[in-house]
Amino acid sequence: GSCVSNSQTFTVTNPAPTITSMNPTSSVYSSPITLIINSTAGNFINGATVQWNGVNTTTAPLVTSTVITATITSAEVATAGAGTRTVTVTNPGTCTPSCVSSSQNFTVNTAATSTTASNVSATYSASNQSITLNATVTSGTGTVNEGTVTFTVKNGATVIGSSATSGTVSGGAASATYTLPGGTAAGNYNVEAVYNPGPNFQGSSDVDAATELTVNPASTNTTASNVSATYSASNQNITLNATVTSGAGAVNQGTVTFTVKNGATVIGSPVTSGTVSGGSASATYTLPGGTAAGNYNVEAVYNPGPNFQASSDVDGATELTVNRAGTSITITSDNPDPSTTSQSVTVQFTLTVTPPSTGTPTGTVSIGDGVDGCSAVLPATSCSLTLTTNGNRTLTATYPGDSNF
């Protein structure tokens, strides 16, 4: 016989893990977590692991049976996204009744953001123009790659044009094409940017009026027109003209100042037009009486309105030409008539300035028949002619003119 009984099997199982509490119970999207899980029952055993939303995480070696620690990386938090997540603990081996604890809920909150719009500039135009508006969206928890940004341009409380919304924020950057209405005056306008968040981030905005859309005045080109006048001893009014053009559209603001010069010397007084209309400007200039015949420079300077830049035509290529005044001469009498050979004949004449010019011509008037003649120095009105042959004679008076006539 034997003194030893037959054997019986006795099964030793590991305890089922229980979670009493954990710290923290919430965090923000994409932020790493060091999770401390407590069990008042003290039923965590060596080799126990922590699951985040059903997936094993990095679990620290067990120190006591009542506390287990796990690290949830920012990538693991981001993968699951904001919302409610589950935490479980699994003991190794065979457990009664289960090696997996009941789950505990962990809340991942949306992350705060900060939105900053960028300054931008444009140039005045009478036509609509497309402008790219930009903003950055940042978060302390990581790069923002979701949501959109809506841009609004304002003048005080007045919205300019229509708001524009970007595509999906990528790498924290957002841009949208905004239509600036044609004719929007030059000046500074506020750019507001509002982040419309995706599921993992909170909304934010930049509406403090520090960001600006600057509409700059448009460049212009001014061209004066040539003009002519006729010499006169009296003042005379002359219309000076210029065109002001811009690639931004028709110029309908500002004035043009005209100055007439002889070299560096100003002739008369500068004159300023009324408001430029359709790109055209004109002003009435007083040409001083007695201004000598010749060519004078016409300078035109555009004094801009708020939407345009100044420009000028001062290169000396544009001219005011003062032409010599016309004259007419008439023989009024010859005495005696008839006369004898070698007798002195007094010939009277009249030299007239063609209206509207005025003034006193200078120089010499010649009278003759092709054979005999005489001359008179102005302002004389006659000369004495001695005829050397008999017969009928045809007398002709000639005035060659001077610098102004």
Side-chain angles (χ1 to χ4, degrees), residues 27-34 72-75 77-78 108 140-142:
S27 183
V28 294
Y29 171 76
S30 198
S31 181
I33 307 163
T34 298
I72 316 300
T73 67
S74 59
V77 176
V108 178
T141 64

Side-chain angles (χ1 to χ4, degrees), residues 7-54:
S7 64
Q8 297 289 316
T9 301
F10 184 90
T11 301
V12 178
T13 61
N14 291 327
T18 57
I19 299 175
T20 306
S21 64
M22 60 184 177
N23 186 42
T25 58
S26 66
S27 183
V28 294
Y29 171 76
S30 198
S31 181
I33 307 163
T34 298
L35 192 59
I36 299 173
I37 303 170
N38 302 297
S39 174
T40 57
N43 52 18
F44 297 149
I45 65 173
N46 285 328
T49 57
V50 175
Q51 291 74 48
W52 170 262
N53 231 30

